[in-house]
Amino acid sequence: AAYKFFGKSIETVECNSFKETCDKLEKNEADFVVMAIENSIAGSLLPNYTLIRDYGFSVFGEVYLPIQLHLMALPGVKFEDIKVVTSHPIAIRQCIDFFYDYPHIKIVESNDTAACAKRIQEEKLTDTMAIANNLAAELYGLNILERRVESNKKNYTRFLIL
């Protein structure tokens, strides 16, 4: 969403929570925050509306992105090697139908889709895959094992620029 709104020449700052992004903006450690606010499957992210109100931020712009979620793992890892899938709870909810056919795969919630991909790469996890987008696979050198695992192929997320 940040690249779509601002272009690819920006520097992004990784945060572990939406509250942390708001703290960075408030302390002038970031110029803008890009915050997911609603999704066509998961609905409104009510805690994020509360953060915007509590911090008193103004909305600078908005971006709608089609959500295309993929399963990714280290190069050489096969789908049958996977025991764990990890991602943000909203991304998991958007893909849950896919996993009905794989009850042996443990689903683990985490704080961020891209951070899950990064962790797989950094810790060389050969039994784990992440649910994330193409950019995360590219950034962390992961192979996509299954493409477009989201339940609704017309899934969009609305992001606010604060």
Side-chain angles (χ1 to χ4, degrees):
Y3 289 145
K4 183 174 181 183
F5 191 84
F6 294 106
K8 294 218 178 204
S9 63
I10 62 168
E11 178 186 342
T12 59
V13 178
E14 185 178 321
C15 295
N16 290 318
S17 68
F18 289 117
K19 182 173 184 340
E20 184 182 349
T21 63
C22 290
D23 288 342
K24 287 193 180 293
L25 184 60
E26 185 177 58
K27 295 174 185 172
N28 293 316
E29 295 174 7
D31 297 322
F32 296 94
V33 164
V34 178
M35 181 181 286
I37 202 71
E38 61 188 358
N39 175 268
S40 57
I41 294 175
S44 294
L45 282 74
L46 297 178
N48 289 357
Y49 280 103
T50 301
L51 285 170
I52 294 168
R53 183 197 65 213
D54 290 351
Y55 280 85
F57 294 146
S58 297
V59 176
F60 181 77
E62 67 181 358
V63 175
Y64 287 84
L65 282 183
I67 301 303
Q68 297 181 355
L69 296 168
H70 314 295
L71 300 178
M72 56 196 66
L74 290 171
V77 171
K78 294 181 175 64
F79 190 85
E80 38 294 350
D81 301 329
I82 299 299
K83 295 182 178 75
V84 177
V85 64
T86 183
S87 196
H88 187 277
I90 299 292
I92 291 169
R93 195 173 339 155
Q94 292 169 352
C95 301
I96 199 66
D97 292 349
F98 179 89
F99 293 100
Y100 289 143
D101 292 334
Y102 304 97
H104 64 282
I105 296 177
K106 181 180 177 184
I107 298 171
V108 177
E109 293 183 357
S110 189
N111 59 340
D112 179 71
T113 56
C116 292
K118 182 180 181 182
R119 184 173 157 257
I120 288 170
Q121 188 268 337
E122 287 179 346
E123 297 180 22
K124 306 293 185 236
L125 302 174
T126 58
D127 67 344
T128 304
M129 62 185 168
I131 301 171
N133 63 18
N134 273 331
L135 182 58
E138 291 171 20
L139 285 173
Y140 302 112
L142 301 182
N143 285 351
I144 295 178
L145 302 179
E146 293 282 339
R147 292 187 175 278
R148 303 292 312 266
V149 295
E150 68 274 7
S151 301
N152 180 344
K153 304 302 184 207
K154 295 180 181 176
N155 182 16
Y156 283 80
T157 295
R158 178 178 168 226
F159 295 84
L160 296 180
I161 313 301
L162 309 174

